[in-house]
Amino acid sequence: ELIADGHHVHPGAMQLLLQVKGAQGVCLVSDAAPLAGLEDGTYTWEGYNVTIGGGTCRLPDGILAGAYSLLDEDLRTLLRSIPGMDPAQAVRCASEVPARSIGLAHRKGRLAAGCDADLVVLDRDWQVECTMVGGEVVWERDNSGIMR
């Protein structure tokens, strides 16, 4: 498993992991805290004061308290951080490998007949355009760039 948010694991360690295991052996995960995506500030979560800032969630002593980024941001970070990273292999780390790791590769994590058609559509900049569950759009970004 790899949290590729640029804070949990150094890019050099990410690259080494991919060289050793190959994309088929690396499962991209998020570890996103419930506070992920909130504006900078201090919040209470599970009885702890957690500060959001600099793209991280931290306890008062500076220790990471989960991740601030969601999986799409981690995918973009992985692509930016690893020179020559094949986009298809990066997507594989975020789709097929996680499905296989939990025993659902027969119906999730890939585009194939008989699979569930749970999809995330990304634009050229790897930003989420829409998400689909069972082939039905459940969320889409509107033309103004505002998510709805």
Side-chain angles (χ1 to χ4, degrees):
E1 294 179 354
L2 172 62
I3 302 170
D5 64 355
H7 300 286
H8 281 79
V9 180
H10 187 277
M14 286 191 259
Q15 186 170 10
L16 180 61
L17 176 65
L18 284 157
Q19 287 173 344
V20 171
K21 299 295 281 184
Q24 73 281 356
V26 177
C27 181
L28 196 62
V29 298
S30 170
D31 189 36
L35 305 174
L38 294 177
E39 293 184 23
D40 288 0
T42 300
Y43 301 87
T44 301
W45 173 46
E46 297 291 325
Y48 294 95
N49 288 328
V50 177
T51 300
I52 303 294
T56 65
C57 301
R58 295 187 182 272
L59 297 172
D61 61 5
I63 292 176
L64 289 171
Y68 179 76
S69 62
L70 301 175
L71 198 59
D72 63 308
E73 178 64 29
D74 291 358
L75 178 65
R76 288 188 293 277
T77 300
L78 183 65
L79 287 164
R80 281 192 313 264
S81 299
I82 308 300
M85 181 72 197
D86 177 2
Q89 294 303 312
V91 169
R92 182 181 214 189
C93 293
S95 56
E96 182 184 328
V97 176
R100 188 179 68 238
S101 76
I102 60 172
L104 294 176
H106 62 286
R107 60 179 243 249
K108 295 201 179 283
R110 57 196 175 91
L111 293 173
C115 289
D116 288 350
D118 296 341
L119 309 170
V120 177
V121 178
L122 304 168
D123 67 14
R124 290 180 186 195
D125 296 321
W126 301 97
Q127 300 292 324
V128 178
E129 285 285 333
C130 74
T131 56
M132 302 172 74
V133 175
E136 299 292 326
V137 175
V138 296
W139 179 90
E140 63 184 333
R141 187 172 57 189
D142 69 17
N143 290 334
S144 68
I146 298 172
M147 296 183 188
R148 57 181 163 133

